[in-house]
Amino acid sequence: MSPTTLPAGPEHGHVTFLGAGPGDPGLLTLRAVEALANADVLVAEHEVLDVVRTHARHGVAVVHTDTDSSSDVVPGTGTPQLTVVDSASTTVGAPAVRDAAHLVMEAARGGRRVVRAVSGDPGLDTDAAAEMLACAAAGVPF
């Protein structure tokens, strides 16, 4: 079964780790565009949010992980504050501070199709690799 055809349902959530490359939306793969078009939740780094959002379906829940701004980091922890925004980039609520790995796993466990977008290659990104290991350890398909 292709990862593209994974069913979505309460028992079939899935996380797709997506490398947005150097930031040019024209360089995204067809698979990346398809994953974005079918995503229920998009968790993206600040650097790639605009690149991947252009291919996301209308109404997707977007979680922006802004680690560049010190005001978005929880004091003393180094953990980024995650802010949930709608497709028009307006804040709809501030969730409890959670790291990206727990956020994507929580959404996938709820049967949602999650796309975790990072700049460059997720296989070479230390944080994305740690998130993949956390998903594997928790039994969350990715």
Side-chain angles (χ1 to χ4, degrees):
M1 175 183 298
S2 166
T4 305
T5 61
L6 283 173
E11 63 280 349
H12 293 100
H14 185 267
V15 180
T16 299
F17 287 90
L18 185 145
D24 181 348
L27 296 176
L28 291 174
T29 65
L30 293 174
R31 171 66 181 111
V33 172
E34 183 179 14
L36 288 164
N38 292 308
D40 298 313
V41 177
L42 172 60
V43 181
E45 294 177 347
H46 173 73
E47 300 83 18
V48 300
L49 184 59
D50 290 335
V51 173
V52 296
R53 185 183 306 206
T54 61
H55 296 288
R57 67 179 173 80
H58 182 70
V60 67
V62 179
V63 181
H64 176 234
T65 61
D66 188 359
T67 56
D68 292 338
S69 173
S70 60
S71 65
D72 290 339
V73 175
V74 178
T77 67
T79 302
Q81 172 71 47
L82 302 179
T83 306
V84 178
V85 296
D86 66 12
S87 60
S89 296
T90 57
T91 301
V92 295
V97 175
R98 296 171 282 186
D99 62 30
H102 287 95
L103 188 78
V104 297
M105 289 189 298
E106 178 181 310
R109 284 183 184 132
R112 300 177 87 185
R113 292 169 297 217
V114 181
V115 171
R116 174 64 170 108
V118 298
S119 58
D121 183 338
L124 300 175
D125 183 281
T126 306
D127 294 330
E131 292 173 29
M132 289 179 213
L133 287 172
C135 285
V140 174
F142 65 96

